[in-house]
């Protein structure tokens, strides 16, 4: 559970720390809303909306990093943090599914190589016995 005190240091809001924790899935959407209710956090907002949103098909790790960096100077508000959370969630799911596909392809390649080796051994034994 994220605490507001984790994101305020010497009276300054640590916007980039909040953004990175949101991007990495360490702060839930419910927690984002709770953090944004805090007056100190709300006073650090830049703008009211995040206006540079892209379509989901364009979301990847590079875009997630780009959006996370916006907290430093471009934009920082509840809409931005919720969007960043959504982008992060989708990118993490894409990465997890690509890892699963790579594991499946690796296993399939190993089985194919083993099948070829067994086939060659059987062929050699069959031909050497004649």
């Amino acid at each position: 559970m994220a605490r507001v005190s984790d994101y305020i240091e010497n009276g300054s809001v640590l916007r980039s720390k909040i953004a990175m924790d949101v991007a990495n899935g360490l702060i839930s959407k419910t927690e984002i809303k709770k953090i944004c209710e805090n007056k100190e956090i709300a006073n650090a907002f830049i703008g009211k909306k995040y206006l540079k949103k892209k379509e989901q098909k364009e979301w990847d790790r590079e875009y997630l990093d780009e959006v996370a960096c916006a907290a430093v100077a471009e934009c920082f508000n509840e809409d931005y943090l919720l969007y960043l959370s959504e982008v992060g969630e989708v990118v993490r799911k894409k990465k997890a599914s690509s890892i699963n596909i790579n594991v499946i392809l690796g296993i399939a390649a190993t089985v194919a190589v083993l099948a070829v080796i067994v086939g060659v051994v059987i062929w050699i034994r069959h031909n050497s016995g004649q």
Side-chain angles (χ1 to χ4, degrees):
M1 171 71 84
R3 297 179 318 210
V4 172
S5 60
D6 294 340
Y7 302 106
I8 299 174
E9 188 174 278
N10 298 323
S12 294
V13 175
L14 305 174
R15 293 187 309 230
S16 59
K17 184 173 178 9
I18 294 171
M20 292 312 299
D21 285 356
V22 168
N24 291 321
L26 301 176
I27 303 175
S28 70
K29 289 181 182 179
T30 303
E31 291 171 318
I32 290 169
K33 291 177 186 237
K34 194 75 169 163
I35 288 171
C36 291
E37 289 174 358
N38 178 278
K39 234 178 195 177
E40 285 181 88
I41 302 286
N43 287 338
F45 284 177
I46 300 170
K48 295 190 186 292
K49 293 278 183 191
Y50 185 64
L51 303 175
K52 295 184 176 184
K53 295 177 182 177
K54 292 185 177 182
E55 291 184 34
Q56 188 172 340
K57 66 182 178 186
E58 298 180 57
W59 295 357
D60 57 16
R61 184 67 206 186
E62 186 178 319
Y63 179 64
L64 176 61
D65 292 342
E66 179 185 316
V67 175
C69 288
V72 178
E74 256 183 80
C75 189
F76 182 79
N77 54 57
E78 186 174 347
D79 181 58
Y80 160 77
L81 292 172
L82 291 170
Y83 177 68
L84 177 60
S85 175
E86 189 176 345
V87 173
E89 187 176 318
V90 168
V91 170
R92 284 189 302 280
K93 283 181 183 175
K94 280 183 185 178
K95 182 179 180 184
S97 68
S98 73
I99 289 171
N100 291 339
I101 289 169
N102 289 339
V103 168
I104 290 168
L105 290 175
I107 291 170
T110 303
V111 168
V113 168
L114 289 174
V116 168
I117 291 171
V118 169
V120 168
V121 168
I122 291 171
W123 182 79
I124 290 172
R125 283 191 178 173
H126 178 71
N127 286 333
S128 66
Q130 289 181 344

